[in-house]
Amino acid sequence: MASNSSQPADLDASKVIVTLATELKPVPSLADLASGGMSQAMTDHMVLASYDPVNGWSAPEIKPYGPFTLMPASSCFQYATNAFEGMKAYVGPDGEPRLFRPEKNMARLARSAGRVALPPFNPDELLKLIKQLVTIDKRWVPAAKGHSLYIRPMIIGTRSTLNLSISDSALLWVMCTPCGPYFRSVRPLSLFAATDAVRAWPGGTGEHKIATNYGPTLKHHQSAQAAGHDMNLWLLGDKITEAGVMNFFIVLRRDDGDLDVLTPPLDGTILPGITRASILSMATAHPSRMVLPGLSEETRLHSAERALTMPELEAWLVEGRVVEVFAVGTAVVVSPIGCIAWGEKNIVFPTFGNALGPVSKALRERILDIQEGRFEWEGWSVPCA
Amino acid sequence: MASNSSQPADLDASKVIVTLATELKPVPSLADLASGGMSQAMTDHMVLASYDPVNGWSAPEIKPYGPFTLMPASSCFQYATNAFEGMKAYVGPDGEPRLFRPEKNMARLARSAGRVALPPFNPDELLKLIKQLVTIDKRWVPAAKGHSLYIRPMIIGTRSTLNLSISDSALLWVMCTPCGPYFRSVRPLSLFAATDAVRAWPGGTGEHKIATNYGPTLKHHQSAQAAGHDMNLWLLGDKITEAGVMNFFIVLRRDDGDLDVLTPPLDGTILPGITRASILSMATAHPSRMVLPGLSEETRLHSAERALTMPELEAWLVEGRVVEVFAVGTAVVVSPIGCIAWGEKNIVFPTFGNALGPVSKALRERILDIQEGRFEWEGWSVPCA
């Protein structure tokens, strides 16, 4: 797209060119989605826009999902100039799709893209395009509790040169796939603490949602699963950072009978999860601002961000203070953690059969109520239309 | 390619399908290449092969360099399942192209690919394909001292799913571009020690040539250049790891008058550079096994791998022991380092005008002699044909 202005054009949702698929794909049934995780099926359409240093952002397109063409020397392959997001759409009680705190995903994507020096884009405009895409593909949003449409916005560097240099060209797209509950059934996860590998470190990239944080974890994930665990626990020294690709929480009984809901602080090694922030915020709100389902008003929760070490976990277990341990994330929402294999040790937490503990259950119920539009809370749930 | 065997096929150079370009591109002149760095021009052809879990490696192709098509959900974009190599071809005295210790690049690529859980390939077969590609494109190998054809083999994950999982599909290719000397002229580099960012960490990926090590460094590189430096020095605490994308060397005068040639050890945070290994090996060989050009037989070199810290550098400067500091790598070969900005300090090393110091000059002359086929040494230089 040629431009006469001297400034490269920003992303502009009003310029969108919509080309609808002439043949629509079959949508997976709820039964198909019951097996856990995401579907392999992508929805009918995607958002696509490109950036070049002269013209800036192209007019965005919504078009049938399908392959695209890149030069082999593109920056994204050689130098991992790739950032992405994970977010979900839910069917509201009105039958219409809605998003959960999507402005947080947009802001994080902009920060992540900046970390790998990709060109900036207007996050508000991208959100408009995502809403339009979800509205067009709304028959793909499964209408059942705990089900959703997983949405992946991505931006990659497409500058084509072998020189190690900032990518002044980029491709941005949004693709979607329907998903059921992340795990086939709720059951406490078994984690394997990686002691020979670290996911993130001070001065690294752990707080950004960029491709570099994922590829190097795959072989450790495979080893953990081969040894009978569900995923890795990522440590930095003896400090807990993340559980798989989820944020880690522990609930401790205090001397005064109240409960502490603790998660590691955002020290640069931890993804600032939107579910994480929401869980902290909801725990703080109980019982004064809202009562969480199934939790007594007498149960006072104190949420806090603080470093958590493996020896502390062990000590708290010995003291009988651990109520429950769980992990949270966009894909999994909330999942109980049953044990951590750490070197020679197997650290076992209280569990509640194949169910969540009292606090995580209350938090999961409430966040699903908010996400699926049954409970209005601070504008977190945003209709697409 | 369907296969009847139960094992997925390995990469097999004998199955190569060669499709030559019908129109050849103009080759940049030596004058074009004199401006430093790599050309933007890719050669006429590339190697391409794909892997799928049923058939294994496809019959490789040598075909005109050009774009390829990928699904948006490919693993390489989301999870940086990308590994690569950097190597060079040189014109020998016989006019024929040759490679430098290419089996080392092949082995490192196989290790790097394994680190991001990509499918294995036969490195010997890939080397055969690279030799064939360089032979076909040999008019692109510039015939001048310090000039070469830069060769980039790559392997990326192409499994198309939003699930975070090992990529059981891959694409492998080799592309080439001619290059002149890395810098327009030899001049001591000014480094900016990054104190807010860390390239690599124990348990991370610093020893592998994978995309994840590069994207996160781009904005720091840009900041360093904006502040008038050439590149970053990467530290871990006060320990030196790498200079830009090069390995770091220091030459110290010992009490007995001999010279120590020191570089940080391969502790997992440092790329095992092939130039690095060759420099260590050549320094060890002088003077007993070969006399380096311009260096006296009386000058005894002792090469060693040992941790180097910033305070040590400062102390050695005060003691007057520092002879010279330099960086080495495939692209740059050998380059002098003049100073390091480290917090409030500017640490200044002895320099030799716009020239290398005595040891690095001798090492650079000899490695170019070996690479360009003028000096036979331990089979390091390998003819393509």
Side-chain angles (χ1 to χ4, degrees):
Chain A
M1 301 285 294
S3 162
N4 293 321
S5 76
S6 53
Q7 280 285 91
D10 203 343
L11 189 65
D12 183 348
S14 74
K15 292 191 186 153
V16 69
I17 300 159
V18 178
T19 309
L20 295 180
T22 49
E23 203 165 330
L24 297 180
K25 295 184 268 193
V27 173
S29 68
L30 291 182
D32 292 335
L33 298 176
S35 61
M38 296 172 205
S39 164
Q40 298 297 314
M42 308 301 287
T43 64
D44 293 306
H45 301 92
M46 64 178 180
V47 171
L48 191 67
S50 62
Y51 182 94
D52 74 71
V54 175
N55 299 302
W57 286 104
S58 69
E61 291 179 87
I62 293 179
K63 56 186 274 189
Y65 176 81
F68 45 59
T69 297
L70 287 170
M71 291 309 286
S74 294
S75 172
C76 59
F77 300 128
Q78 300 173 82
Y79 305 127
T81 46
N82 304 349
F84 68 93
E85 268 304 319
M87 53 198 291
K88 284 177 170 176
Y90 312 83
V91 175
D94 60 357
E96 294 303 314
R98 42 184 57 227
L99 302 170
F100 181 69
R101 308 184 79 181
E103 73 289 351
K104 299 261 180 210
N105 297 94
M106 297 301 100
R108 191 169 64 184
L109 183 60
R111 282 199 309 276
S112 299
R115 183 66 183 84
V116 287
L118 288 172
F121 60 89
N122 185 322
D124 297 333
E125 296 300 302
L126 179 57
L127 181 52
K128 287 180 198 166
L129 292 164
I130 290 173
K131 287 177 174 175
Q132 190 173 354
L133 175 66
V134 172
T135 301
I136 288 173
D137 276 347
K138 73 179 184 181
R139 71 193 186 94
W140 288 83
V141 191
K145 188 173 172 184
H147 291 62
S148 54
L149 183 71
Y150 191 89
I151 304 166
R152 172 133 300 165
M154 284 211 70
I155 173 168
I156 66 169
T158 54
R159 183 172 182 178
S160 178
T161 167
L162 300 192
N163 285 298
L164 177 61
S165 53
I166 284 180
S167 183
D168 58 5
S169 303
L171 197 64
L172 180 153
W173 71 94
V174 184
M175 53 192 166
C176 310
T177 188
C179 60
Y182 193 76
F183 294 109
R184 206 179 299 245
S185 59
V186 173
R187 60 174 177 78
L189 300 177
S190 166
L191 306 186
F192 179 80
T195 51
D196 63 336
V198 291
R199 174 191 169 275
W201 54 84
T205 60
E207 68 186 325
H208 295 285
K209 205 158 180 73
I210 56 179
T212 62
N213 293 330
Y214 296 86
T217 69
L218 294 172
K219 69 174 201 148
H220 299 91
H221 183 61
Q222 187 180 50
S223 302
Q225 292 201 323
H229 304 283
D230 292 294
M231 58 188 63
N232 288 111
L233 180 71
W234 294 102
L235 303 176
L236 184 65
D238 62 8
K239 243 176 20 181
I240 291 167
T241 62
E242 293 191 15
V245 291
M246 303 181 289
N247 291 118
F248 184 93
F249 278 80
I250 187 166
V251 181
L252 296 179
R253 192 173 306 282
R254 295 155 46 134
D255 294 338
D256 61 6
D258 287 7
L259 300 180
D260 279 330
V261 180
L262 306 177
T263 193
L266 300 179
D267 64 359
T269 66
I270 289 172
L271 190 78
I274 294 157
T275 311
R276 175 189 177 279
S278 305
I279 291 286
L280 283 172
S281 175
M282 292 191 300
T284 301
H286 176 92
S288 58
R289 296 185 49 232
M290 75 168 154
V291 176
L292 292 175
L295 267 198
S296 155
E297 292 193 39
E298 310 305 308
T299 307
R300 283 186 301 275
L301 304 180
H302 304 269
S303 67
E305 301 170 74
R306 76 144 9 240
L308 301 171
T309 69
M310 295 300 291
E312 282 177 319
L313 256 58
E314 290 187 285
W316 290 328
L317 280 166
V318 170
E319 294 165 13
R321 295 180 58 198
V322 179
V323 178
E324 56 174 309
V325 177
F326 60 95
V328 313
T330 294
V332 76
V333 191
V334 179
S335 183
I337 295 174
C339 58
I340 302 172
W342 181 44
E344 301 292 294
K345 297 176 180 175
N346 190 32
I347 300 174
V348 179
F349 303 112
T351 49
F352 302 83
N354 280 332
L356 285 155
V359 175
S360 59
K361 183 168 192 297
L363 290 163
R364 179 176 180 275
E365 287 298 310
R366 179 50 44 92
I367 201 170
L368 288 180
D369 285 346
I370 298 170
Q371 289 171 335
E372 295 167 3
R374 292 183 296 272
F375 187 93
E376 164 53 33
W377 182 251
E378 300 195 339
W380 285 2
S381 184
V382 177
C384 283
Chain B
M1 302 287 294
S3 164
N4 293 320
S5 75
S6 54
Q7 280 285 89
D10 203 343
L11 189 64
D12 183 348
S14 74
K15 292 190 185 154
V16 68
I17 300 159
V18 178
T19 309
L20 295 180
T22 50
E23 205 165 327
L24 298 180
K25 296 184 270 192
V27 173
S29 67
L30 290 182
D32 292 336
L33 298 176
S35 61
M38 296 173 206
S39 165
Q40 298 297 313
M42 308 301 288
T43 65
D44 293 307
H45 301 92
M46 64 179 180
V47 171
L48 190 66
S50 62
Y51 181 94
D52 74 72
V54 174
N55 298 304
W57 286 104
S58 68
E61 291 178 87
I62 293 179
K63 55 186 275 190
Y65 176 81
F68 44 59
T69 294
L70 287 170
M71 292 307 287
S74 295
S75 172
C76 58
F77 300 128
Q78 300 174 83
Y79 305 126
T81 46
N82 305 350
F84 68 94
E85 267 305 318
M87 54 200 288
K88 286 177 170 176
Y90 313 82
V91 175
D94 60 356
E96 293 303 314
R98 40 184 61 225
L99 303 169
F100 181 68
R101 308 183 80 179
E103 72 290 351
K104 299 262 179 207
N105 296 95
M106 297 300 99
R108 190 169 65 183
L109 183 60
R111 283 200 308 276
S112 299
R115 183 64 183 84
V116 287
L118 288 171
F121 61 89
N122 185 322
D124 297 334
E125 296 299 303
L126 180 57
L127 181 52
K128 287 180 198 165
L129 291 164
I130 291 173
K131 287 177 174 175
Q132 191 173 354
L133 174 67
V134 172
T135 301
I136 287 173
D137 277 347
K138 73 179 184 180
R139 70 192 187 96
W140 288 83
V141 191
K145 187 172 173 184
H147 292 60
S148 55
L149 183 71
Y150 192 88
I151 304 167
R152 171 134 300 164
M154 283 211 70
I155 174 169
I156 66 169
T158 54
R159 182 172 182 177
S160 178
T161 167
L162 300 192
N163 285 298
L164 178 61
S165 53
I166 283 178
S167 184
D168 58 5
S169 302
L171 196 65
L172 179 155
W173 71 94
V174 183
M175 53 193 167
C176 310
T177 188
C179 60
Y182 194 77
F183 295 109
R184 206 179 300 245
S185 58
V186 173
R187 60 175 175 77
L189 300 177
S190 166
L191 306 187
F192 179 81
T195 50
D196 64 336
V198 180
R199 175 190 170 274
W201 193 269
T205 59
E207 69 187 323
H208 296 286
K209 204 158 179 73
I210 57 179
T212 62
N213 292 331
Y214 297 85
T217 69
L218 294 173
K219 68 175 201 149
H220 300 92
H221 183 61
Q222 188 180 49
S223 301
Q225 291 202 322
H229 303 282
D230 292 293
M231 58 188 63
N232 289 111
L233 179 72
W234 295 104
L235 303 177
L236 183 63
D238 62 8
K239 241 174 25 179
I240 292 167
T241 60
E242 293 191 13
V245 292
M246 303 181 289
N247 291 118
F248 184 94
F249 278 80
I250 187 166
V251 180
L252 297 179
R253 191 172 306 283
R254 295 156 44 134
D255 295 338
D256 62 7
D258 286 6
L259 300 179
D260 279 330
V261 180
L262 306 177
T263 193
L266 301 179
D267 64 359
T269 66
I270 289 172
L271 191 78
I274 293 156
T275 311
R276 174 189 177 280
S278 304
I279 292 286
L280 284 172
S281 175
M282 291 191 300
T284 302
H286 175 92
S288 59
R289 297 185 49 232
M290 72 170 157
V291 176
L292 291 175
L295 268 198
S296 155
E297 291 192 40
E298 311 304 309
T299 307
R300 284 187 300 275
L301 304 180
H302 304 270
S303 67
E305 301 170 74
R306 99 193 276 284
L308 300 172
T309 69
M310 295 300 291
E312 282 176 320
L313 255 57
E314 290 186 285
W316 290 328
L317 280 166
V318 170
E319 294 165 14
R321 295 181 57 199
V322 179
V323 178
E324 55 174 309
V325 177
F326 60 95
V328 313
T330 294
V332 76
V333 190
V334 179
S335 183
I337 295 175
C339 58
I340 301 173
W342 180 46
E344 301 291 294
K345 297 176 179 174
N346 190 32
I347 300 175
V348 179
F349 303 112
T351 49
F352 303 83
N354 280 332
L356 285 155
V359 176
S360 59
K361 183 167 192 296
L363 290 163
R364 178 175 180 275
E365 287 298 309
R366 180 50 43 91
I367 201 170
L368 288 180
D369 285 345
I370 299 170
Q371 289 172 333
E372 296 168 3
R374 292 183 295 273
F375 187 92
E376 163 54 31
W377 183 252
E378 299 194 341
W380 285 1
S381 184
V382 178
C384 284

